[in-house]
Amino acid sequence: MYSTIELTIEGRLARLTMNRPESMNAMDDTMMKELADAFESLSSHNEVQVLIINGAGRTFSAGGDIKKMIDPDAPMDIEKVMTDVSRLAKGLYELPQITIAAIHGSAAGLGFSLALGCDVIIAEENSKLAMNFIGIGLVPDGAGHFFLKERIGVPQAKQLIWSGDVMNAETAKGKGLIDQIVPDGSVSQASEELAQKFLSAPIAAMLASKKILHEQKIGELENVLRMESEQQVAMRNTKDHLEGINAFVEKRKPAFIGE
């Protein structure tokens, strides 16, 4: 059914794995669409109460696929991509399940936005986490602005977005960005144990509270996604974005000019 992700359902527990390990689970246009489709399909699976999201191979997700962004043979249609990114974020936020992000390796850019959209974030101690859109002259998408503000407030969200700093798990937890740190190699087991803990609790009441807290914010989320889409399309046409992309490909420090 999917070519870049795997979705399995076992009773009340679902597992979604981003499955482009050769690309560090970087999200191309196909994966973005498939993630959006998967989240929308899960919204009708009322029997499923917990969803674990992880990444195949050596990392959670490196974010958007920069190589695909500049592929001259099959360039990504940015407006279509942003439609799927918005679907992805809204679908995740509206899920009627408790969502657990199980991070190993790294969660960067859109991969970090995806993790931040989950109810609980578990990360291995040597994970690298970054909202690093600024490095290529872009703004966070996938509701990165919304999810950051929900977790750490506007002042800290601005500082994190503007700096693009790469954080280890301890630093991220200190800022309130993740919920639990586990030893390297153990995030899969830890996420399964937490899922079982939730499934052994009065989870119907927990999900009712999630619905109450989330539904009142849907309008705000939709507005953020609209603005992110507009600004991302605009940023893709700036000289700084082109310089950021070229610097990334050439593995050098970018020279931004504010245009």
Side-chain angles (χ1 to χ4, degrees):
M1 183 176 178
Y2 302 112
S3 63
T4 65
I5 65 173
E6 293 180 358
L7 178 63
T8 60
I9 297 175
E10 296 180 10
R12 295 188 292 149
L13 175 62
R15 301 175 184 86
L16 189 154
T17 301
M18 291 174 281
N19 192 28
R20 295 186 73 217
E22 72 287 350
S23 301
M24 297 181 67
N25 297 318
M27 299 184 199
D28 62 1
D29 45 358
T30 301
M31 182 184 281
M32 293 172 191
K33 181 181 185 302
E34 290 187 345
L35 284 168
D37 290 346
F39 292 146
E40 289 174 357
S41 73
L42 280 166
S43 68
S44 62
H45 284 271
N46 293 324
E47 76 282 4
V48 178
Q49 295 177 311
V50 178
L51 169 66
I52 298 172
I53 302 175
N54 57 25
R58 57 196 178 96
T59 200
F60 182 79
S61 174
D65 191 333
I66 294 178
K67 291 181 180 178
K68 286 284 289 185
M69 288 183 190
I70 59 175
D71 183 354
D73 298 321
M76 288 198 291
D77 181 338
I78 182 61
E79 294 191 13
K80 181 179 183 301
V81 164
M82 290 310 301
T83 296
D84 286 330
V85 169
S86 296
R87 288 176 54 226
L88 180 165
K90 188 169 184 282
L92 174 62
Y93 191 70
E94 292 182 325
L95 280 176
Q97 292 96 19
I98 293 177
T99 52
I100 302 170
I103 298 174
H104 72 293
S106 66
L110 182 56
F112 195 26
S113 294
L114 174 64
L116 290 169
C118 292
D119 300 313
V120 183
I121 305 174
I122 307 174
E124 293 184 351
E125 55 191 355
N126 285 314
S127 299
K128 304 300 180 186
L129 306 117
M131 190 61 74
N132 56 348
F133 293 87
I134 197 72
I136 54 172
L138 296 178
V139 298
D141 53 28
H145 294 87
F146 177 86
F147 294 141
L148 277 175
K149 184 176 74 69
E150 286 288 285
R151 276 204 165 248
I152 61 177
V154 170
Q156 285 196 70
K158 287 187 293 188
Q159 296 302 317
L160 196 68
I161 291 167
W162 292 345
S163 70
D165 286 346
V166 179
M167 301 166 284
N168 59 27
E170 183 177 357
T171 299
K173 190 172 188 298
K175 292 179 180 294
L177 291 163
I178 65 174
D179 302 298
Q180 183 180 344
I181 301 174
V182 297
D184 288 354
S186 67
V187 74
S188 178
Q189 178 181 345
S191 61
E192 292 285 340
E193 290 174 352
L194 181 59
Q196 293 305 319
K197 180 179 178 181
F198 284 139
L199 292 171
S200 299
I203 194 169
M206 298 166 71
L207 291 171
S209 288
K210 173 177 177 175
K211 182 179 177 67
I212 291 167
L213 292 168
H214 282 218
E215 281 205 357
Q216 61 184 311
K217 295 292 187 85
I218 295 297
E220 180 184 351
L221 171 61
E222 290 173 340
N223 196 38
V224 168
L225 290 169
R226 176 185 58 78
M227 290 189 289
E228 284 184 348
S229 295
E230 292 172 353
Q231 293 303 317
Q232 205 69 302
V233 170
M235 292 304 105
R236 284 291 297 270
N237 294 316
T238 63
K239 293 178 181 178
D240 278 347
H241 171 62
L242 181 60
E243 167 62 10
I245 288 286
N246 288 335
F248 176 85
V249 172
E250 296 166 9
K251 298 183 179 179
R252 60 173 173 81
K253 185 177 180 179
F256 295 125
I257 59 173
E259 297 180 10

